[in-house]
Amino acid sequence: MQFRHPELLYALFLLLIPIIVHLFQLRKFKKEAFTNVAFLKKINIQTRKSSTIKKWLILFTRMALIACIVLAFAQPFTTQSDAATRVKEYVIYLDNSFSMQAKGASGQLFKTALQDLIKFIPEEQPFTLLTNDNVYRNITIKGNKNELLQLTYSANQLSNNALVLKAQRSYSNDPSIEKRFINASDFQNWGDILQNSLEDIETHYVQLKPIVANNISIDSVYVTEGKTNSLLLTAIIKTLEKRETNVPVSLYNKETLVAKGTAIFKDQLTTEVTFEINTDIDLEGRLVIEDPLLLFDNTLYFSINRNNPIKVLAVNGAPSDYLRRIFTQPEFDFASVSEKDLDFSSLPTYNYIVLNELDELRPSLVGALDAFAKAGGTITIVLNTESAIDAYNGALENLGGFTIAAVNKDKRLITSINYDHPIYNDVFDARIENFQYPSVSSSFSVKGGDPILSFENGDPFLTSSNGIFLMTGSIAESNSNFKNAPIIVPTFYNMSRQGLKLPTLYYTIGESVSYDVAVSLQEDEILKIVDARDASNALIPLQQRKGKKVEIITSTDPTKASNYTINYNDTPIQQVSYNYDRAESNLNYISLESTNDAMISPSIEQLFEDFKTDDSIESLWKWFVIFALFFMLLEILILKFYK
């Protein structure tokens, strides 16, 4: 038994008062003379004994009365646990990621969990609420109910480590407070082991499970083949379980339905749907499927811009037919000139220049190329190994800090690929350990730059520095079979895209990306990114002027999946699309039974019912009031009827 006001127990010293009164109150007996002395003595003895018993009974009842009154004011109680009397501090994580859109027994998992929190948390109980994108500190249901009802889904997903750090920072440093952490989520399986890392904090997990986990989603879209006036667009559709029914897929250009396809899975979990689209117009594309389980992955936005080809110039000392076959229209605007016919004043109009095995790099050309590179242009220099070292060394030092050490006349294989370099980021599905190695008969040994392709001895064949790419050997058929290697196309293609990094079909929200816009801005002018479907949703991105182009950099913004236009003075000049990360589409969940040092509850309702039971306090003061009244009544009866 415990007391709310234990200091009042000092009042039990009042029990000394009836003791003093009853033990030290002396009664005087007056002698009376009667004729029958023996009879009177017997009566006197009996009276004195009865008086003593009555006195002790009254003493007991009065002491019991005072004790019950004192104990009642001290408010005694009993509890289920020692923690019941401690102040509670709650931190609650409510997962609002897109996977929480899945339908549970009472509706969408997130909405149901939010309603349960509002319903079962005591209105006056302060708590801190964590979501994937916000922190609400020391709020109450009574004061913040409307704000909580406005919570919605987020494209972000906190990792377990980030959540633990966020939760730890939310608690006070008072050791006398009972700290409780509630993690309410569907606990998608990201491949990490869920561990309870909150020391001295009572952790509770509530796993919210959907009724059905057979989700269908648009995984990705890409261009597979280009034709004269059209191209083929392929969409990847995924399902989590085998299904017999087909799924219709719709392709829109803005709000206009362009084409319809059907996703046929048969016995597979992945299928492709192909559309043929016209290349004469810019496409503000949108792929749509119907699936009631998750809504965020039913639509995929993409953009195809046809008005900004990458301008490529080949300055030739050797045949450039292979370049013409790589840089085709409409994606590229290719031009080829000999060195003697080169107009230096035209260089700023190009995005990418290839110096194709020139015999030497003259100072006038080097000066123009240096200005071109500083303005954001990209240059690839293919060396002619028939030339002398002095024909290149000074120029290469000025352009990219390269130094030619020697000429190597031995045939060597290109065996190493720098997969982490930007020009190979999206080329390979996996790192190739053994492929058909291109060979080079004669090459220069070059120092400097960041190697991209290397020979077996570690010397670079392709290296880069400050937007300058250098091939250390001739790729003429008489010297190398590099032109016949499959790697030549993505190599030159992606080097050219460094000169004008046009937006890809779409980007993923939350990832740091950069791309170029072919426009010349004045000193105080800026570009804006505007939602094509909601003009009020606009932002000014991080941007940098580079000659006749502007580099756009985005990371956390925009936050909404949609097609966007890049506006210059309120005029759309280019399209770009952003989509949510598709990882949330995988409805694969962690089994919490293997989690250590954590308590698992089937629902938020059950969890707070358990809290209510554990924290319940049974007050006993009413019983002591009843006992006080009983002893008061008992004293009255003794005084009145006991003779």
Side-chain angles (χ1 to χ4, degrees), residues 382-421:
V382 183
L383 298 181
N384 183 354
T385 45
E386 298 297 327
S387 298
I389 293 177
D390 293 340
Y392 294 129
N393 243 349
L396 294 178
E397 179 69 30
N398 292 332
L399 287 175
F402 304 107
T403 303
I404 300 177
V407 180
N408 194 313
K409 295 294 184 178
D410 296 328
K411 184 176 182 179
R412 294 187 290 178
L413 297 178
I414 301 171
T415 60
S416 177
I417 301 174
N418 183 357
Y419 294 96
D420 296 325
H421 196 277

Side-chain angles (χ1 to χ4, degrees), residues 431-485:
R431 302 199 172 198
I432 303 171
E433 298 296 334
N434 186 13
F435 65 100
Q436 188 176 0
Y437 301 126
S439 63
V440 179
S441 298
S442 177
S443 61
F444 291 105
S445 293
V446 175
K447 295 182 180 180
D450 181 16
I452 304 172
L453 296 175
S454 301
F455 295 111
E456 48 200 330
N457 68 342
D459 286 348
F461 170 71
L462 176 62
T463 183
S464 67
S465 174
N466 299 323
I468 309 294
F469 294 88
L470 179 66
M471 283 189 172
T472 61
S474 168
I475 58 174
E477 294 179 359
S478 59
N479 188 62
S480 172
N481 62 352
F482 187 76
K483 289 182 181 179
N484 299 323

Side-chain angles (χ1 to χ4, degrees), residues 2-18:
Q2 302 178 65
F3 298 90
R4 292 188 185 277
H5 306 292
E7 65 276 6
L8 295 181
L9 295 178
Y10 287 108
L12 291 175
F13 286 111
L14 295 175
L15 295 175
L16 295 174
I17 295 175

Side-chain angles (χ1 to χ4, degrees), residues 325-327 482-483 485-495:
R325 289 192 296 269
I326 294 173
F327 301 118
F482 187 76
K483 289 182 181 179
I487 200 172
I488 186 175
V489 175
T491 300
F492 275 96
Y493 179 88
N494 287 327
M495 285 191 296

Side-chain angles (χ1 to χ4, degrees), residues 20 45 58 85 137 216 309 316 364 390 404 431 488 606:
I20 293 172
I45 291 171
I58 293 172
T85 58
R137 298 185 185 278
I216 308 168
N316 299 309
S364 57
D390 293 340
I404 300 177
R431 302 199 172 198
I488 186 175
Q606 183 62 53

Side-chain angles (χ1 to χ4, degrees), residues 220-247:
S220 58
V221 63
Y222 57 91
V223 176
T224 54
E225 183 180 350
K227 298 182 180 180
T228 304
N229 296 316
S230 65
L231 55 84
L232 295 182
L233 190 74
T234 299
I236 304 297
I237 313 297
K238 286 188 175 181
T239 181
L240 298 181
E241 295 179 1
K242 292 183 179 181
R243 54 187 299 120
E244 297 179 357
T245 57
N246 299 331
V247 178

Side-chain angles (χ1 to χ4, degrees), residues 246-264:
N246 299 331
V247 178
V249 184
S250 302
L251 172 62
Y252 290 86
N253 182 16
K254 297 181 180 178
E255 300 302 320
T256 304
L257 179 63
V258 175
K260 275 207 157 191
T262 302
I264 304 173

Side-chain angles (χ1 to χ4, degrees), residues 308-310 331 497 500-504 507 515-518 574:
N308 289 319
I310 299 175
E331 189 173 1
R497 290 185 64 87
L500 182 63
K501 294 186 288 186
L502 295 175
T504 58
Y507 295 103
Y515 49 86
D516 297 334
V517 180
Q574 193 164 298

